[in-house]
Amino acid sequence: MEFRLLGPLEIRDGGRTLVLGAPRQRVLLGQLLLHASRPVPVDDLVEVLWGPHLPSRPRTAVQLLVLRLRRALADHGCTARIESTPGAYCLELHQDRCDARHFEHLVGRADTARDRGDRATEARLLDEALALWRGPVLGIADGEWDERSPAARLVQARVTTAERLAAAELAAGHEERAIAVARRFVAEYPGRERLRLLLMRALYRSGRRAEALAAYDDAYRYAVDELGLEPGDELRALQHDILRGQDEATVRGQPKPAALPMRLTGFLGREALAAGLCRSLVVGAERGAAVHGVSGMAGVGKSALALHVAHELREHFPDGQLYADLGAGRQAPVPAAEVLLRFLRLLGLDDTGVPASEEARAELFRARTGGRRMLIVLDDAASAAQVRPLLPGSAGSAVLVTSRSALTGVDGARWTALDVLDDDESAAVLANLAGAERVLAAPEATARVVRYCGRLPLALRVVGARLAARPSWSMERVADQLADERRRLDRLTADDLAVRSSIELSHRLCSAEQQRALRLVSLLDVPWFSAWAVAALLDADLDTGTEVVEQLVDAQLVQAVRAGDPDGYRLHDLVRLYAREQAADEDTGAAVLRFAATARTLTERAMGTFLMYRHWFLGSPPVEYRTRVAWRPDGPKAARAWLEAERPVLIAAATQAAAHGHAAEATGLAA
C-alpha cells in the first residue's frame, strides 16, 4: 500500500485508489503522514482540524477521529499503525510506502552520485524524484503552509531539487534538458534567482545569446516590479559576462578540471557555517579573486568542511575546480612550484610548456585562470608564502584554504576559526555512522562517548567507524573502553584514521622548547592556566612563558579561553592525553613544585597589597622554589581581580602540591 501526499492525498493499493469518507479523516491522515514516525501534539491537530471553531471537547473529538481512522485503515488491510503517546499521536508506516519518503530517498542517492562525480546519474535520480510530485502538498497551495511545517520543508526541497537537476544536466553537457527544467520551474517560482541564473547559463552555453539576455530582462522586470529590488550580484555579473562575450563560450575549448576529492558522506553539524562560506565565496568572486580560510586544531574537520563547500559550489564555478594537499603536517610541505606544475598540467599544458621557476609558473597560472570562474582548494597550508603563488589574479575565481592557524600574510583573505562540535551535533555524527537506534537506545553512554572524544569530529568519526564495523557492540561497551585514559588514544584508531597521529603532525612541527612546555602543562591538574604557569614550568620569565604559550596557540595545540583577567589557556582533553604520553620522562614532582611555588609567591604579592593581610606571611615557611616571574599587581583593585580570576587554578595548585608532598607550598597557598 502506498500513501501519496505530493499532490492531493491518495491511498493506493495496487491499481485501486482507496477513499476515506470523512474530510476530517483525510486532514488527520495528511497531518500524521507529514510527521510520519514523529509524534504530533494533540493541540496541533486540534488547530489544523477545527481552527478557531472548536468543538465542545476537542481532545475527545480527536480521539474519536483517530479511532475511526484506525478502523478505516485496518479495514483496507493497511499495516500502518497510529500509536498513542502522552499528549500526541504518531503514524508508523511499517511496510507501507510514502511518496515523500521515496522522494527523499532518491535525492539521497543523487547526493551519492554527485559525490562520485557522476552528474548524469545524479540528474536521472533527481528527475525521478521530481516526477513523484502531482501537485501541491496534500493539494494545498504552497503559500498556505506555515514556513516551519514539514510541508513547507518539502516544498523547499522540491525547488532546491529542481535547481540541482538543472545544474546537473548542465554539468553533464545536456544544455537543452537544463533549459527545459529551468523554464518549467521559473514559471512556477519566478522569484528564485538561482533558477533564472541556470536558465541564462544554459541558454548561453548552447549558443542562444539573445535568449539568455532576454531571460535576464525578464528577471530584472520581475525583481523591480514585484520585489522592488534589482537582481542579485550573480545575475548581473553573468549578464555583464554575456554582453562582453565571455563566460562559458570563451572557454569552451579549454580544459575544465574536476580535481576535487570525494567529500565525506554524512556531513553534519556545520550546515550554517558551510552556507555562509558558500555565500562569501560566490559574492566575493564577483568582485575579485575571493580567498577564504578555515583554521583549527588537528581533527576538527577543516578538510571535511572545505570539501563539502567546494562540492556545493561546483556549479557556481563551471570552468573547473583544482585541489592540492599542501602537506603542512609533513616534515617538508609541498613547494608551491610543484603544485603549480600539477595545476598547469590539469589546465592543458604539457611539461615542455611549463617554465622552471616558481615565479614564472605563478605568472603563467594567473594568465591561464584569468577571466575564468574557477574554484581552488588549498588544503593544509603551511604558510602564507606557500599560498600566495597559487592565487589567481582576476575576478571570477575563488580560493578556499585550510590551515592549522590563520595565515594573516595572505592579503585579502577572510579567516574562520573552526571549533569542536556541540553535544547534539556530536551525537548526530555518531548516529549517522553507527545507526540512530544505538544512539537513541543509550543516551547516557552516548553522552560519555561524546565527552571522551572531546567533541572532536575526527575522534567521533573513528568511534562511529568502529561501531559500524561491529554491529554487536553496544554504546556502553565503547564508553567503558574509552573511560581508561591510558588506553583512550589507542582505541581512537580505525584504519588510517587516528587521533594520535593527527595531533602528532602538529606536535612534530614545534620547537623543542614548545614541546617541553606542552609536556609540562599536561602534567597540571587545572581547569585552565595562565602564561605565568608556563613560565614557572619552564623556569623562565613571564615574557618567555607568554611567547611560548602563544606559539602553541598558533600551532593549535593550546586553546585560548576567556577565563578572567588576564586571559587563560587550556588543553583539549585528547591533546592533554597525547602530551602526557610524551611526558613520561619528565619529573612531575619538580614541575608541580615550580608551579605551586610560583602560585604561592604571586598570591602573597597580591594579598600583600591589602594592609590587613600583610602580617599573615611573616611566619610562613620559605618558598621551596624562587620564581623568575616578576609580576606584581598594580594596587588592591588589580590584586582582587587577579585573585578572583585565578581562584580555581590556585586551589588546584595547592591540591596538587599536597599530593606530591610539597607541604610548604600547599599550606602557604591554603592560608
Side-chain angles (χ1 to χ4, degrees), residues 265-271 308 421 425 427-433 457:
T265 57
F267 178 82
L268 293 167
R270 315 277 197 202
E271 289 83 359
H308 176 82
L421 301 172
E425 292 167 342
V429 170
L430 291 174
N432 181 66
L433 294 169

Side-chain angles (χ1 to χ4, degrees), residues 502-555:
S502 180
I503 298 171
E504 187 176 26
L505 291 176
S506 296
H507 182 259
R508 191 189 307 152
L509 299 175
C510 293
S511 68
E513 184 178 44
Q514 293 162 13
Q515 291 180 358
R516 181 166 181 260
L518 186 69
R519 294 196 301 269
L520 293 171
V521 165
S522 74
L523 300 175
L524 301 183
D525 295 327
V526 291
W528 55 274
F529 56 92
S530 295
W532 63 260
V534 180
L537 292 168
L538 293 174
D539 190 20
D541 58 31
L542 185 56
D543 287 345
T544 300
T546 302
E547 182 180 356
V548 170
V549 74
E550 285 295 332
Q551 289 167 345
L552 289 171
V553 170
D554 290 341

Side-chain angles (χ1 to χ4, degrees), residues 25 88 111 123 193 212 264 291 317 330 427 429 434 448 510 530 544 553 602 621 649 657 664:
Q25 279 190 17
D111 291 344
E193 281 202 356
L264 292 177
V291 183
F317 297 95
R330 305 173 200 163
V429 170
R448 288 171 59 206
C510 293
S530 295
T544 300
V553 170
L602 300 185
V649 178

Side-chain angles (χ1 to χ4, degrees), residues 92 96 123 126 163 203 314 326 434 479 482 506 602 628 646 658:
E92 296 291 350
D96 301 284
L126 294 174
E163 292 171 347
L203 286 167
R314 285 187 303 189
L326 300 185
L482 294 177
S506 296
L602 300 185
R628 295 173 60 189
E646 298 280 350

